[in-house]
Amino acid sequence: MHRAPSPRAVEPTTRHHRTASPPSGLRRRLLAALVVIPLALAAAACGDDDGGSAAADPNKPVELSIFWWGAEGRAKLTEDALALYTKKHPNVTFKKTWQANQGYFDKLATLTAGGDAPDIFQIDDNYLTEYASRNVTLDLTSYKDGGKLDLSKFPESLWKYGVVDGKLAGVAFGENTQGLVYNKTLLDKNKLPAPTTGMSWADFITWAENVSKTAKVPGTQDPSADYKAFWVWLRQQGKDLYKDKELGFTEQDVTGWFELWKGARDRGATPTADVIHEGNVTDISKQLVVTGKAGTSWVWANQMPELKKNTKDELGVIAYPGDTSAQWARASMYFSVFRGSDKKDIAVDVINFLANDPEAAKVLGTDRGLPSNLDIRKAVSDSVTDPNMKQSIAVENELGAKFGPSPQVPLKGHSKVRSELIKAAEEVQYGRQTPADAAKAYFAAAKAAIGQA
């Protein structure tokens, strides 16, 4: 199964269409250019978001452009599923473009700013709000309400995680949630108990401290720089990462989070700062739980199979500590339709097909996460043979019964909010700043990132 789209995963660089990423300065200019195009997009959108595809003749040849990120395996699966659609609709063909995760959003910004956006494109929750707020994405609400886009088999919290400012901006193509992965082999070897879903943060840190003392391996990677862990912890305090157009937490909340993990480091429950930094910046294949430098790592549950490829040890996965209702059915990624497309009706039909057709689902499998359609998910899950994938599916299904409502989709600037957390947390981890000072700096940077006054 492919990784969640924005963790620090690095995709293979071999791909059908090689695209050089623009330099960061160009990227900023391209993204800035997007701000001025909503009126142009509206004019190009053939009226409104209720349809209006150019092809009045259902048999007229149509070529749809579609753009996604991923490795060669995902490309093959996606192309095979699109070929099934063409087989059932011979007049519809596809201009397919894909590339690795790295540089994907630079390329999407280039295409969109240049007026050459694909009819269908893959996106994640780091950028969905940004593109929706600029009127780049088609509002799919009328298609859902009219039955042309069937989301009735999706968990409600999952499809709603594609709603931005009351508009359905993307269709979830895979469910995921946060997962705490632990090295079961290490624990068994040292006759130590496994961590359990529902244990408190204090109990988990005590558990990790005991692992460090007994196994002589740090019990857990320090997640103070990990936005996923911080987000779940906030929701357990009745807060959130975002609330409407502002941050959903205070400077004092950040201080409390940093102090929690400073205490854990002082007790020896985590590695040293240099090793923590290594875990902060490496891709999924080199997380500390598989390199033997920590007993646990904080990841997405669907990354278990990829982690297992990189260790001979047996791994287990549970929810993050605390109340599991703070976790939610996160869309691992979405497909959206370009609002300026003159083939939007057909584009929506293609997305509906990929999400709900049993044959297409069998081809796509779990590469983008657990299928959003629950009937499809069961059929696909029953056919999975990889034991690590089976474990991920079982955990996701178990936690699914305990999920709380999904939060709002992250605001524009979310990627900067994430990177600033790493910077601030590492200031504390290396002892260069106190938790309070780092929290003050982070809170200001996070506000600036989302444009909060």
Side-chain angles (χ1 to χ4, degrees), residues 142-164:
S142 62
Y143 292 94
K144 179 186 74 70
D145 293 346
K148 294 180 180 179
L149 177 61
D150 184 7
L151 305 184
S152 62
K153 299 292 185 180
F154 284 38
E156 183 178 30
S157 61
L158 184 60
W159 74 257
K160 282 188 173 179
Y161 196 58
V163 175
V164 178

Side-chain angles (χ1 to χ4, degrees), residues 260-280:
L260 176 70
W261 289 102
K262 181 180 185 303
R265 290 191 300 277
D266 291 346
R267 292 166 58 182
T270 76
T272 59
D274 284 341
V275 178
I276 295 168
H277 171 73
E278 182 181 325
N280 289 340

Side-chain angles (χ1 to χ4, degrees), residues 25-26 31 54 67 148 159 203 222 251 306 441:
L26 174 58
L31 289 173
F67 185 36
K148 294 180 180 179
W159 74 257
D203 286 345
D222 177 335
E251 183 181 318
E306 189 65 26

Side-chain angles (χ1 to χ4, degrees), residues 179-192:
L180 180 65
V181 175
Y182 61 91
N183 187 323
K184 188 174 185 301
T185 299
L186 174 72
L187 299 178
D188 290 347
K189 179 182 177 181
N190 291 277
K191 296 181 173 55
L192 289 165

Side-chain angles (χ1 to χ4, degrees), residues 46 102 117 193 281 305 319 388 407:
C46 301
Q102 187 174 7
V281 300
N388 298 294

